[in-house]
Amino acid sequence: MLVLPHVATGAALGALLGDPFVVVPAAVASHFILDSVPHWQETMAPYIPTWKTYLRIPIDIGLAVALVIYALSIHPDLTPGILLGAIFASAPDLDVITIKLPKLQTGLIKKYWDWHCKIQREVTSLWGVVTQLVVVVASIVIIQIP
């Protein structure tokens, strides 16, 4: 799943739940739940980055940052929960660092990488984009509730 749906979900959890001690585990759990939903990304396993990857990343991250700024502008009183939700909902994908640093893929990191790849439900169809758009739109709606 792209960064934006993970961050959007984490920010929505932060706005909805508020309490950082509840938001952090919920955000981490949301990451793996979303990864198990059919989704599109331009690089499917074995995760070999292409020029499209490097074109998509700044757009994806830029939209995620804009969404967090939007959430914070609506709920400045919920800043800790929103920020922690956004960060921890996307943090499990930091394992992609091992693509460029494959020597790190040993022991527990390798086991985590293999498991994280296994739970991905990547598809090449338009439905994989639609599911992510639904997640982002639903998250924006939730952000506006509290």
Side-chain angles (χ1 to χ4, degrees):
M1 185 144 307
L2 300 176
V3 173
L4 178 60
H6 286 304
V7 167
T9 301
L13 287 168
L16 191 62
L17 302 174
D19 182 353
F21 291 106
V22 177
V23 171
V24 169
V28 171
S30 77
H31 180 94
F32 301 115
I33 292 167
L34 288 179
D35 278 354
S36 67
V37 171
H39 61 276
W40 168 90
Q41 52 194 55
E42 86 286 344
T43 309
M44 295 176 67
Y47 300 104
I48 299 167
T50 68
W51 66 270
K52 291 178 185 178
T53 307
Y54 297 107
L55 179 64
R56 181 209 30 97
I57 288 171
I59 295 168
D60 189 17
I61 292 172
L63 289 171
V65 168
L67 189 138
V68 170
I69 291 169
Y70 170 71
L72 293 172
S73 73
I74 294 176
H75 304 292
D77 54 318
L78 298 173
T79 295
I82 291 170
L83 289 177
L84 288 170
I87 291 165
F88 280 90
S90 55
D93 275 341
L94 289 175
D95 62 348
V96 299
I97 292 169
T98 63
I99 292 172
K100 289 295 186 181
L101 303 169
K103 290 182 181 181
L104 293 177
Q105 272 199 27
T106 60
L108 285 176
I109 293 173
K110 173 70 171 144
K111 287 181 182 185
Y112 172 74
W113 171 266
D114 291 342
W115 175 79
H116 196 190
C117 289
K118 187 177 180 178
I119 67 165
Q120 298 291 324
R121 299 281 302 171
E122 297 166 351
V123 295
T124 57
S125 68
L126 178 62
W127 287 113
V129 174
V130 170
T131 58
Q132 293 183 87
L133 289 173
V134 167
V135 167
V136 171
V137 170
S139 295
I140 291 169
V141 169
I142 290 168
I143 286 167
Q144 295 177 29
I145 291 173

